[in-house]
Amino acid sequence: MGLSITHLLLPRLGDVAFLVSWVAVTMAAFLGGIGPGLLATGTSAAGYAFFFFAPLHSFRIASSFESFQLLLFVSVAAVVSAVVGALRHRSRRLLREQERAWVAESDARRFAERLALSQSITSDLAVAWTQEDVATVLVKRGLKAFDAKAVGVTVPISTEELDVILQVRYPARSVAPWLRIRIDSDDPRADAFRTGEAIWLESPEEFVRRYPHLREKMRGDGAWAVVPMMAHGRPLGVITFTFAAPRSFDLEERHFISFIASKYGQALERARLSEAERSARARAEAASQRAGLLASLGVKLNAGASLFDVLGAAANGARGVLGGDDAAIWLAEPDGHHLRGAFEIGTVGRVGALHDLDQLPHSREAVAHRCPIYFTAAEAGGEEPAWFQRLGIESAVAAPLLDEERFIGILFVDYRTDRFSRSPEDLEFVNAVAGLSALAVARAQVYEAEKKARLRAEAAEMETRRIGALQERLVAVVGHDLRNPLGAIIMGAERLKTRRRNMEPWERSVVALMMRSAERMQGMIADVLDFSVVRRGGGIPLRTEHVKLSEICRHVISELEQARPGRSVSLRVEKDDEGEWDPGRLARVVSNLVANALQHSPRDAAVEVRIRGSSHHLVLEVHDSGPPIPEAVLAAVFEPFTKGSSPSDDLSGNIGLGLYIVREIARAHQGKVDVCSRADKGTSFIVKLPRHPTLDPQAA
């Protein structure tokens, strides 16, 4: 271009035609540096030599002046190119340095802003003690710091699920699809939580490319930063920043967002721990207060002197500690399916009322699950709505009263408004109140039952004593008064027997029958009189002397065999049978035992009396091979007025004192009597007596 301009202007420029080339060289060096400047210098020199110097169109220069002129041009142009190129290089270096300085200043300013922002966020989060405080800082600082459109916080609610606990500036309809997700799901929040790595979605296209199945959940947002909130190397949750327009996140910004997210995570964890600590402290204080209330209630329940007092203390105490407006206690009927009103604070006719448990569905459920149930008027069923209306209440607690597994009744605490908490802690407290009340009521019921039983037993004992005393007096009087007429009968029969020697056989039979009957009556009267003496505490009196037991046995056996024709009794003596005893009393012992054996054994059964012993004791055994004594009779065979179960006991006139008198006579001799009765061996009464008893002088 310079050569063309020079060619056109040469006639006018004359010797200064090189000025155009100077401009060209200078511009080339300025724009391109020393290289383009030297190239422009060489090109201009060649062009001048070829086009302007003679001979034309040849690179040979004829004139030495023109050669000098061209050489001077090249030299000066080269110097100019070098100078202008150096100036250009220096200028560009200065420009780059200024640009770097500006960038460094911009970075420093941005760093200072972010540092100030992080310090401000850290300072605000340091005093954020609740999750609401953390949310406020998140709105105030976080959204502004990153120019975000909205922000949300997602945390784990179990080992398998994440849920949104905080969302700011998200439209309500756009939040619903994102609330709860599984940790193992294909979702950016789940991925960030599982891996601990941030998910950067810089455009909707990138979002759809990575999570195509979530396309329908997008609401026109432009970019997303899904960052895990890390603390001590583990994710506490995920914070999601949403941006209105697509944008890129450089490395520095990503680090800064991750840093701020970790700060929010730490603050959120601290807030959660702080709230948990406050909640635990509040629960501890409530537990302490409730323990005091339970202790006070226990004192009042223990002070109750009767079942009514305990029921009143339980109802009033439960209403007080549970903050109710009314209370009542219904006790279970013996069938376990009905309740009867036992105590009420407000008098509305509950006491004495009987209700089927099936008509009180919430009470039935409380009993079935062994736990208290709180329900409102809207939830009431069966007969419950009528009681709600009658009492003027809106809600109630039905707590079963249980003594271990025994259902005692139900404690009702009523409220005029729906204000009772359904929290597990409150229901557990109700259960503790009901348990304490149940123990007191059960104890009072047992005490009342024992008291009534004791009064009945005392009354029955007094009546028994009174009747017994009357019987003893009657027996003693009758026995004493019968002795005189019985003696007259015996005396008359003996005189008939001795004076009328030539009686007819039937007459002798009648006299013998009279004698046997009178003697049996005399033995019965003797038993009655001895029983009366023993019952008065005197014991059977004895007159001991040196006797042989075998002689007494032979005499008694002889009389009994005469009285029972066809029956025989054998006697076997194995040892010396002498000792110090009352012969009359021992005769009674032998007579009662042998007569008992004859009476309760078949006519062909053998009856045997055995006498054996040692140097200090003697044993009298009366054995029969008849049927065994029934177990029910055997246990009380030596008690007064105990008779066997056979009809012969009633027909024989047996009054059930014979064996009792045997025992008392043995005791009076410091001995004892036992019985052994078996189907295969028969029945044996065994009397063991000391040969020389040491008797009480009064007894003797």
Side-chain angles (χ1 to χ4, degrees), residues 558-573:
S558 176
E559 292 180 349
L560 292 175
E561 286 178 341
Q562 292 178 8
R564 291 172 173 79
R567 298 299 302 271
S568 63
V569 180
S570 62
L571 174 64
R572 186 171 68 183
V573 182

Side-chain angles (χ1 to χ4, degrees), residues 66 112 287 355 403 410 539 646 649 690:
E66 289 179 348
H355 285 281
D403 180 23
I410 294 182
S646 63
D649 291 316

Side-chain angles (χ1 to χ4, degrees), residues 152-218:
V153 176
T154 306
V155 297
I157 58 174
S158 69
T159 58
E160 297 179 350
E161 289 185 314
L162 298 171
D163 198 5
V164 175
I165 64 166
L166 179 64
Q167 56 87 20
V168 180
R169 295 186 182 176
Y170 282 107
R173 60 189 182 88
S174 67
V175 173
W178 298 93
L179 288 179
R180 183 172 296 187
I181 60 171
R182 292 185 59 84
I183 294 178
D184 58 358
S185 63
D186 188 12
D187 185 280
R189 293 169 297 165
D191 290 345
F193 183 82
R194 284 197 313 271
T195 62
E197 299 290 338
I199 306 295
W200 309 99
L201 303 171
E202 299 180 341
S203 65
E205 292 75 17
E206 183 177 2
F207 187 102
V208 172
R209 180 175 56 80
R210 295 186 62 175
Y211 302 99
H213 58 287
L214 299 179
R215 178 194 299 269
E216 299 299 327
K217 294 185 178 183
M218 294 178 59

Side-chain angles (χ1 to χ4, degrees), residues 205-462:
E205 292 75 17
E206 183 177 2
F207 187 102
V208 172
R209 180 175 56 80
R210 295 186 62 175
Y211 302 99
H213 58 287
L214 299 179
R215 178 194 299 269
E216 299 299 327
K217 294 185 178 183
M218 294 178 59
R219 298 292 181 180
D221 300 322
W224 298 264
V226 186
V227 187
M229 298 183 294
M230 305 297 292
H232 308 293
R234 63 182 183 89
L236 302 177
V238 176
I239 185 169
T240 303
F241 292 99
T242 302
F243 301 89
R247 60 172 295 175
S248 61
F249 303 96
D250 58 36
L251 184 61
E252 182 180 352
E253 189 173 19
R254 294 185 179 190
H255 286 316
F256 184 62
I257 293 176
S258 298
F259 171 76
I260 295 301
S262 68
K263 289 297 182 181
Y264 277 116
Q266 294 170 9
L268 186 63
E269 180 70 6
R270 185 177 64 252
R272 292 170 62 182
L273 292 176
S274 177
E275 290 179 356
E277 181 183 359
R278 288 195 299 272
S279 177
R281 187 183 304 112
R283 288 195 300 270
E285 292 175 355
S288 177
Q289 182 181 7
R290 288 175 173 178
L293 293 174
L294 288 176
S296 176
L297 177 60
V299 171
K300 294 177 181 178
L301 291 173
N302 290 330
S306 64
L307 178 59
F308 181 81
D309 294 339
V310 171
L311 292 174
N316 284 284
R319 182 187 65 170
V321 300
L322 298 178
D325 299 308
D326 190 15
I329 293 179
W330 300 66
L331 295 181
E333 290 291 286
D335 61 5
H337 297 290
H338 291 82
L339 297 172
R340 188 177 296 277
F343 187 90
E344 62 179 344
I345 295 178
T347 307
V348 292
R350 285 171 288 188
V351 175
L354 184 66
H355 285 281
D356 189 343
L357 195 58
D358 291 335
Q359 297 301 317
L360 304 172
H362 287 91
S363 300
R364 183 179 67 248
E365 184 180 355
V367 174
H369 292 88
R370 295 293 196 264
C371 64
I373 291 180
Y374 175 74
F375 59 103
T376 62
E379 299 168 338
E383 297 179 356
E384 293 170 346
W387 279 107
F388 271 62
Q389 184 176 4
R390 187 172 181 179
L391 294 168
I393 59 175
E394 285 296 324
S395 61
V397 173
L401 301 178
L402 304 171
D403 180 23
E404 295 181 351
E405 294 300 322
R406 185 172 69 92
F407 171 49
I408 298 176
I410 294 182
L411 167 66
F412 289 97
V413 179
D414 306 322
Y415 299 86
R416 294 192 180 94
T417 59
D418 181 9
R419 67 175 186 270
F420 183 79
S421 169
R422 299 174 186 257
S423 67
E425 293 81 6
D426 288 341
L427 290 176
E428 185 63 29
F429 181 56
V430 174
N431 199 36
V433 172
L436 199 61
S437 301
L439 289 176
V441 171
R443 185 173 61 249
Q445 287 179 329
V446 171
Y447 174 77
E448 293 273 336
E450 290 179 349
K451 183 179 178 180
K452 291 179 180 179
R454 185 170 61 253
L455 292 175
R456 288 195 299 267
E458 291 176 354
E461 184 179 359
M462 291 180 63

Side-chain angles (χ1 to χ4, degrees), residues 43 114 128 167 202 247 471 496 514 542 554 559 640:
T43 302
R114 290 182 175 177
Q167 56 87 20
E202 299 180 341
R247 60 172 295 175
Q471 288 178 341
L496 285 174
M514 291 174 60
L542 300 177
R554 289 189 181 95
E559 292 180 349

Side-chain angles (χ1 to χ4, degrees), residues 117 120-122 124-125 128 130-154 164-170 227 229 238-242 257 260-265 267-268:
L117 178 61
S120 176
I121 291 176
T122 303
D124 290 345
L125 291 176
T130 65
Q131 297 188 43
E132 290 75 12
D133 294 341
V134 174
T136 301
V137 176
L138 196 58
V139 173
K140 180 180 177 182
R141 302 291 186 184
L143 292 177
K144 181 179 179 181
F146 307 117
D147 193 23
K149 170 185 174 183
V151 64
V153 176
T154 306
V164 175
I165 64 166
L166 179 64
Q167 56 87 20
V168 180
R169 295 186 182 176
Y170 282 107
V227 187
M229 298 183 294
V238 176
I239 185 169
T240 303
F241 292 99
T242 302
I257 293 176
I260 295 301
S262 68
K263 289 297 182 181
Y264 277 116
L268 186 63

Side-chain angles (χ1 to χ4, degrees), residues 400-577:
L401 301 178
L402 304 171
D403 180 23
E404 295 181 351
E405 294 300 322
R406 185 172 69 92
F407 171 49
I408 298 176
I410 294 182
L411 167 66
F412 289 97
V413 179
D414 306 322
Y415 299 86
R416 294 192 180 94
T417 59
D418 181 9
R419 67 175 186 270
F420 183 79
S421 169
R422 299 174 186 257
S423 67
E425 293 81 6
D426 288 341
L427 290 176
E428 185 63 29
F429 181 56
V430 174
N431 199 36
V433 172
L436 199 61
S437 301
L439 289 176
V441 171
R443 185 173 61 249
Q445 287 179 329
V446 171
Y447 174 77
E448 293 273 336
E450 290 179 349
K451 183 179 178 180
K452 291 179 180 179
R454 185 170 61 253
L455 292 175
R456 288 195 299 267
E458 291 176 354
E461 184 179 359
M462 291 180 63
E463 183 66 16
T464 301
R465 288 179 180 177
R466 188 182 67 83
I467 295 174
L470 290 175
Q471 288 178 341
E472 291 174 6
R473 290 178 61 187
L474 179 62
V475 166
V477 171
V478 171
H480 187 272
D481 291 346
L482 286 177
R483 295 179 68 180
N484 292 332
L486 184 59
I489 293 173
I490 294 175
M491 185 180 297
E494 288 180 347
R495 292 191 67 180
L496 285 174
K497 183 178 179 181
T498 56
R499 294 189 65 179
R500 297 188 62 180
R501 298 182 182 276
N502 298 322
M503 287 188 297
E504 295 293 331
W506 67 269
E507 291 178 326
R508 286 196 297 272
S509 176
V510 170
V511 172
L513 179 60
M514 291 174 60
M515 290 292 294
R516 288 196 300 271
S517 299
E519 289 174 354
R520 188 164 60 250
M521 289 182 63
Q522 195 172 31
M524 293 170 60
I525 291 173
D527 288 344
V528 168
L529 292 176
D530 287 341
F531 168 73
S532 178
V533 171
V534 173
R535 294 290 288 182
R536 289 198 302 269
I540 294 180
L542 300 177
R543 289 188 177 89
T544 61
E545 59 184 75
H546 188 80
V547 296
K548 293 188 67 175
L549 183 58
S550 59
E551 294 180 356
I552 297 174
C553 291
R554 289 189 181 95
H555 178 70
V556 172
I557 290 172
S558 176
E559 292 180 349
L560 292 175
E561 286 178 341
Q562 292 178 8
R564 291 172 173 79
R567 298 299 302 271
S568 63
V569 180
S570 62
L571 174 64
R572 186 171 68 183
V573 182
E574 299 178 358
K575 289 286 185 178
D576 177 26
D577 61 340

